[in-house]
Amino acid sequence: MLIARFASRLKYLKVVKVPFRFKHKDTHWSVIRKTKTNTDKALEHFDDFYDTVYGTLWPDVRAALLVEDNKYMAVVNNFSDTDRIAQTFENSGAINLRAIYKAQRKLLKSIEQEKAIKRKLKNLDGGIEGFSAASEQSLQVPSSDLSDSTDSADETEEDSSSSNDSAVPPELLSIASSESSGHLDFERIINPQNDLSMSSLHQYVPATKLKGMEDFVLESEHYDYYKKGSDLSIKVEKQRKLNFPEHLNIYTFEEENDTRFSSPRKGSTGVLDYYLLDGGSILPVLALDLRQNDHVLDMCAAPGGKTLIALQTLLPGLFVANDNAHSRVKRIKNVCDQYFDGMGQWDEKLVISQNDARVIGEQDKFNKILVDVPCTTDRHSLHENDNNIFKPSRIKERLKLPEIQTEILQNALKIVRPGGTVVYSTCSLSPIQNDGVVQMALKKSWEETNSIFIVKNMSPSLHPLRCIYNISRHGLKYGQVVLPSLGNNFGPMYFCKIIKVR
């Protein structure tokens, strides 16, 4: 009886239609919106913003950023078997970055000499035959390394110019006052009519509003705050020569050679042979111009790559690697253990600290400060959904980044010694987080401390490395940025060198 009832019920279920909710196709806009990942949101943001900033450059930069495996360089650990490591790299076709810099600088100097002689010959009315012998002789490139013969002369010339500038501190004028006095310097002021100027960078207005727990913020209004620094004129000097430390050995492959370095192994001393990192991260450390016994502070040091590079120069007399969270400080310690463990000479020279970089108050203790601030980490944001700064729950945190970056840089400018160097860097293409933050921090420092700073335009000194890096000052007034490219997929990395005069 029970079986008959159960069979009839099954028969009834086959006949009755069960209603269900209609589902949209996967291509419908509502479905796409729900399935949009954090990386998708980051790309959408960059497409809207960076296309207006970089124009025709953006498609190539975008393609390079979307490549999952960017190009790395290898920093040789001086506390392992350096000769063996260098030989292994060279056998694989890798080239020492310092050797590239010297060779390219030598080539560029010879080209400049040749151009100078051609200009003289062109302007010479007569006596060309008598002049030819001298010109041929001057065209000869010395067989010795150019750094030994000509770099000292460059240093003398640059030091003398710097001393003259330091003797008479530059007067900082507002745009309004300089215009009224009839001495408006158009080279130092960003033209608001230019689409790539600071003012146009704030025209990016997302459609959404941000709802916080207590307040209501419009993103365009937040960015508009950074226009306030545009009425300050800062002296910008060209830097002709790059100091490349003798003991810093970095290996890379030539353009369009995508050979990957293998994972490092421990050598005979028990520490890892080399450290792999994005090639753009090398440049902010080189910009510090480290010298013997420098007292160096790395304000936001985690995960520790730039700290490692600086210590491999063997130059600092004191190095403080700082970060604000226990987990991040632990990452710095892990890197140091892997590369310096048991090396007693660092017991007193290397200090790892946990502090908010905005409130570090050791005045005049450091003459070199690296300010590699938290940023949107553009490449990471395009490839990692976890902990992505473009998560809906982190919108407000992302909008606060420029304020935090400004506060950190401003504190660095406050505590660095007079005559000392501050290098500000991000791994973002955003001009707001880059030049915008530099401008705002310099303005606040001037208003609160009356300090005077000079910004170094490093483009001339970095010119020999353009065969390796795609370095640009596109739309920038103070710093330079490494733009990713498919041939040399380094970066992005923005950096700006600031000297405290008074």
Side-chain angles (χ1 to χ4, degrees):
M1 191 70 176
L2 289 174
I3 295 174
R5 288 181 180 179
F6 181 70
S8 63
R9 183 172 295 179
L10 285 176
K11 185 177 180 181
Y12 174 76
L13 288 174
K14 288 181 181 180
V15 177
V16 176
K17 293 183 179 180
V18 179
F20 65 94
R21 186 176 179 180
F22 175 76
K23 292 184 177 181
H24 290 298
K25 294 182 179 179
D26 292 341
T27 55
H28 193 270
W29 66 268
S30 61
V31 176
I32 294 174
R33 185 176 63 181
K34 291 177 182 178
T35 58
K36 189 178 292 183
T37 65
N38 298 323
T39 57
D40 294 332
K41 294 171 184 175
L43 182 59
E44 186 177 77
H45 176 93
F46 296 154
D47 281 336
D48 286 343
F49 189 17
Y50 293 161
D51 182 62
T52 64
V53 175
Y54 294 98
T56 57
L57 296 176
W58 172 238
D60 291 337
V61 174
R62 182 185 192 272
L65 279 173
L66 290 174
V67 175
E68 289 192 10
D69 296 325
N70 59 311
K71 200 168 181 179
Y72 280 9
M73 288 187 181
V75 182
V76 176
N77 187 5
N78 284 310
F79 302 98
S80 187
D81 311 306
T82 54
D83 292 339
R84 172 184 58 81
I85 300 166
Q87 190 61 52
T88 301
F89 284 152
E90 289 168 9
N91 290 342
S92 67
I95 314 170
N96 192 311
L97 190 64
R98 186 176 63 253
I100 295 173
Y101 178 77
K102 288 183 176 181
Q104 287 294 315
R105 189 164 183 269
K106 184 175 180 179
L107 176 62
L108 290 170
K109 274 188 170 292
S110 64
I111 292 173
E112 286 300 318
Q113 289 175 353
E114 184 176 353
K115 287 181 178 179
I117 290 171
K118 286 182 178 179
R119 285 195 297 267
K120 289 181 181 179
L121 287 172
K122 186 176 181 180
N123 296 330
L124 194 63
D125 293 330
I128 295 179
E129 292 181 359
F131 185 74
S132 61
S135 65
E136 288 178 4
Q137 183 177 0
S138 63
L139 277 170
Q140 298 297 320
V141 179
S143 58
S144 61
D145 190 355
L146 191 72
S147 62
D148 298 329
S149 58
T150 60
D151 288 0
S152 59
D154 288 347
E155 281 185 335
T156 304
E157 180 183 350
E158 195 166 326
D159 290 343
S160 63
S161 63
S162 299
S163 61
N164 291 336
D165 291 327
S166 301
V168 183
E171 183 181 1
L172 276 72
L173 300 174
S174 69
I175 291 178
S177 61
S178 59
E179 185 176 15
S180 62
S181 62
H183 298 290
L184 187 62
D185 186 351
F186 291 99
E187 292 299 321
R188 299 181 190 171
I189 300 170
I190 300 171
N191 182 2
Q193 302 302 321
N194 189 339
D195 287 339
L196 297 175
S197 67
M198 281 295 300
S199 60
S200 69
L201 300 179
H202 305 284
Q203 294 175 0
Y204 172 63
V205 185
T208 57
K209 292 185 177 181
L210 310 171
K211 294 183 179 179
M213 292 187 357
E214 297 104 11
D215 54 356
F216 193 70
V217 183
L218 186 66
E219 189 167 5
S220 59
E221 292 175 359
H222 176 83
Y223 285 150
D224 187 66
Y225 171 72
Y226 290 90
K227 291 180 184 178
K228 297 178 182 178
S230 61
D231 64 343
L232 182 70
S233 179
I234 303 296
K235 184 173 183 179
V236 180
E237 287 184 350
K238 290 183 178 180
Q239 178 173 320
R240 302 287 180 184
K241 179 177 174 291
L242 183 68
N243 173 40
F244 211 117
E246 177 185 358
H247 298 290
L248 183 60
N249 294 294
I250 304 163
Y251 281 84
T252 185
F253 293 96
E254 70 272 19
E255 186 175 6
E256 297 185 359
N257 184 341
D258 294 327
T259 302
R260 309 288 295 178
F261 291 102
S262 59
S263 298
R265 297 181 178 181
K266 291 184 177 181
S268 61
T269 59
V271 292
L272 293 177
D273 284 344
Y274 51 87
Y275 186 85
L276 298 177
L277 78 171
D278 185 290
S281 299
I282 307 293
L283 299 179
V285 180
L286 292 179
L288 276 175
D289 191 19
L290 294 177
R291 304 286 177 167
Q292 195 70 43
N293 295 321
D294 276 343
H295 285 202
V296 187
L297 169 63
D298 188 350
M299 277 187 147
C300 310
K306 294 181 180 68
T307 289
L308 178 71
I309 299 168
L311 293 176
Q312 290 300 333
T313 67
L314 309 181
L315 292 172
L318 171 69
F319 196 100
V320 177
N322 176 77
D323 220 295
N324 67 340
H326 176 72
S327 59
R328 297 179 66 81
V329 170
K330 187 176 180 180
R331 294 178 70 184
I332 302 171
K333 289 180 178 179
N334 288 340
V335 169
C336 292
D337 289 342
Q338 290 175 320
Y339 290 88
F340 305 122
D341 187 36
M343 306 300 168
Q345 70 180 93
W346 294 112
D347 291 345
E348 296 181 359
K349 291 184 178 181
L350 175 62
V351 178
I352 300 174
S353 64
Q354 181 179 342
N355 289 295
D356 186 334
R358 295 172 289 182
V359 297
I360 295 175
E362 297 178 280
Q363 191 82 23
D364 296 338
K365 182 175 182 178
F366 305 100
N367 66 319
K368 302 288 174 69
I369 300 181
L370 179 61
V371 189
D372 187 46
V373 293
C375 64
T376 49
T377 55
D378 292 0
R379 188 183 289 274
H380 176 273
S381 296
L382 291 174
H383 294 283
E384 297 292 338
N385 272 307
D386 295 338
N387 202 32
N388 194 307
I389 194 69
F390 286 89
K391 288 173 63 176
S393 60
R394 299 185 71 186
I395 290 179
K396 199 162 188 182
E397 178 187 350
R398 174 164 58 86
L399 292 182
K400 289 291 183 183
L401 277 175
E403 289 183 24
I404 296 171
Q405 292 162 345
T406 301
E407 290 171 2
I408 295 174
L409 177 56
Q410 188 184 355
N411 191 42
L413 297 173
K414 177 182 176 181
I415 67 176
V416 71
R417 293 178 191 168
T421 299
V422 173
V423 173
Y424 172 80
S425 65
T426 76
C427 47
S428 171
L429 292 169
S430 169
I432 296 167
Q433 297 178 61
N434 298 338
D435 262 16
V437 167
V438 171
Q439 176 78 46
M440 197 65 197
L442 288 171
K443 174 182 170 63
K444 287 188 172 183
S445 297
W446 164 249
E447 291 174 343
E448 296 179 11
T449 67
N450 206 30
S451 298
I452 294 177
F453 300 93
I454 292 175
V455 174
K456 289 287 187 178
N457 173 10
M458 296 192 64
S459 294
S461 63
L462 295 170
H463 191 65
L465 292 177
R466 289 184 179 275
C467 60
I468 296 294
Y469 295 102
N470 182 18
I471 302 173
S472 173
R473 296 198 79 207
H474 187 87
L476 298 173
K477 193 70 175 176
Y478 301 117
Q480 38 277 310
V481 62
V482 176
L483 296 178
S485 65
L486 292 175
N488 276 329
N489 204 353
F490 300 126
M493 178 59 63
Y494 168 89
F495 56 103
C496 178
K497 180 175 182 178
I498 307 169
I499 308 295
K500 187 175 186 177
V501 177
R502 184 189 72 192

